[in-house]
Amino acid sequence: MCGIVGYIGERQASDVLINGLARLEYRGYDSAGVAIVNGSLEVRKKKGKVKTLSNDLAGNKLEGKLGIGHTRWATHGPPNDINAHPHVSSDGSFALVHNGIIENYTSLKASLSQRGYSFSSQTDTEVLVRLIEDVRKSTGLSLGKAIRQALSQVQGTYGIAVVSHEDPDMLIAARKGSPLILGVGDGEYFLGSDAAPIIEYTRKVVYLNDGEMIIVRRTGFTVFTVENVALDKKVYELEWDLEQIEKGGYDHFMLKEIMEQPSSLENAMRGRLFKKAPYVVLGGMLEAMDQLRNADRIIICACGTSWHAALVGEYLIEALARIPVEVEYASEFRYRNPILRNNDAVLVISQSGETADTLAAVREAQSQGVPVYGVCNTVGSTIARDTDAGVYLHAGPEIGVASTKAFTAQVTILAQLALALAKQRKTMSDAEMASFVGELQAIPAQIQEVLDTAKSIENISQIYRYASNFLYLGRGPNFPVALEGALKLKEISYIHAEGYPAAEMKHGPIALIDRFMPVVFIAMKNSAYDKVISNIEEVVARNGIVIAVTDAEPGHIDDLCEHVIRVPSTHELLSPLLTVIPLQLLSYYIAVLRGCNVDQPRNLAKSVTVE
Ligand code: G6P
């Protein structure tokens, strides 16, 4: 997500900050800014690249030896100069940068507005700035104490850094759920949301933990908890090189993104999903819900992995909210002169929000006067801007070309949308809603359980790295997962792979079965389990090799299959969130073993902006 840098010492802060921001570019961002203290507080921030900001600073330098900087990846409000960080207090005395999401920013903003505060940006961050101001004003507390008190009112996640011209020898930082590291130099300190901006200056670092706050002065630093208990922090020696840091210690962005899924799904549900009524609040869709819940039909258009998520969405929305859903390849939708009726609604899904085929589907629907809603990851992207309403994934930038965490975040959003529609259409009882919410909230921890078995999946990959063909089979909501598993393998390992509904195997693919073609079955203990077991038997009878992903107790399935990968049990409609994980890992490890360029596979682009 976004990146934070900070500096206090004897160098020109703007040089250190720009250097650091450039080091954080790998994380993906859409705007950058700095605040420098030198008698007064000066802020410079720009939409676009760090280069744009540094050109601006080169023309009009900001002198000063204390400062903070930020690369923003938009979550609340589109990328522009105003929404960029740092955000400054109304009296211009302090500036703040923030990573993370403040869940209760709407209610905080409402009460601060009532108390006379105004806002120039659409960000949740500015709300935190105003809250700190308000605490200061009403209590007379020092800046540090006011920050601590304001943070106790905040729900959500944050990593923040603050400077003030009232104290030119103080850099304040705090974290909850969003990493921060302090680099310890000689009479100088470097703050970073990871070690990338720090490493060229020092290898000595202090890691802040959740619930900790730090006050840094040129003579030293103090760390204490939000409850104001002072802590003794250990100084560590950094061992990673820059490339390792950028990838969070993983060999590839794709693996990092696979491993991030427990937290990206938490973010996709943060502030949206509740154990009690109303169960789901999708802020960006509130005004659209009436239209959507009364739609005769929802048509979902998307491409690639997003199209697979749409297929899972079809099962979710039809089963929970009982609205007919059709899923279309965006590229096909436009060119077959689709028949849209007054009471249809179109939903488009796109990680990048820039896919040309999906955008063309948006235009087609709009030309027929049908409302179009978007599910995008990139805030302020063309699709996000040009649709009537929508929901963001909040999955953070996805850098690996093969989509992983965006898929699970998309399914998580669709599950929440299905629930919200079900609530309004009364197609589920309160008890059913509460139980489904519970299952959804349990998914991040269950994904972690699957990720913890990565080593055994790597072992399986060793055996099949030389295969030329793979078949993936699943039923119900796991049929799209079979498609996604096959797509992941094709994309990054260049092995030919096909996904099919398990029962369709006998209508063609069964002719391919032999001992050289691994068949991956998704065999969850649900309504169709026995049927899938029969399909497995059919493959085994033809000397096929079966790798099964299942939540079944050890038993017959283990006798039949060469390998059994176990995942936890959940609601059948949510099982794709768990079953897709081993398939992502399987393709990742096979591609690595084959020496493929995992993050940038040949011929593929992350964002396909041509039709
Ligand atoms: C490209 C990417 C895929 C992605 C598809 C749709 O083909 O390589 O990973 O699934 O585009 O992209 P979108 O950004 O619209 O989800």
Side-chain angles (χ1 to χ4, degrees), residues 303-306 349-353 355 358 401-403 410 491 605-606 608:
C303 303
T305 291
S306 298
I349 305 179
S350 173
Q351 186 286 128
S352 61
T355 302
T358 311
V401 165
S403 185
Q410 287 162 343
E491 282 178 312
K606 182 75 191 150
V608 181

Side-chain angles (χ1 to χ4, degrees), residues 22-51:
R23 293 270 185 238
L24 289 170
E25 285 195 297
Y26 77 94
R27 293 161 72 109
Y29 69 102
D30 47 55
S31 42
V34 294
I36 309 273
V37 171
N38 186 9
S40 61
L41 179 71
E42 297 262 9
V43 171
R44 216 53 81 65
K45 46 188 194 172
K46 291 266 165 236
K47 178 183 170 185
K49 294 285 159 200
V50 172
K51 191 81 197 123

Side-chain angles (χ1 to χ4, degrees), residues 182-215:
L182 184 75
V184 179
D186 191 8
E188 58 179 353
Y189 294 91
F190 308 83
L191 188 74
S193 44
D194 66 36
I198 296 174
I199 195 164
E200 66 179 282
Y201 304 104
T202 177
R203 288 193 162 261
K204 285 194 201 139
V205 294
V206 172
Y207 295 96
L208 275 198
N209 293 325
D210 278 351
E212 289 180 2
M213 189 165 156
I214 187 164
I215 294 190

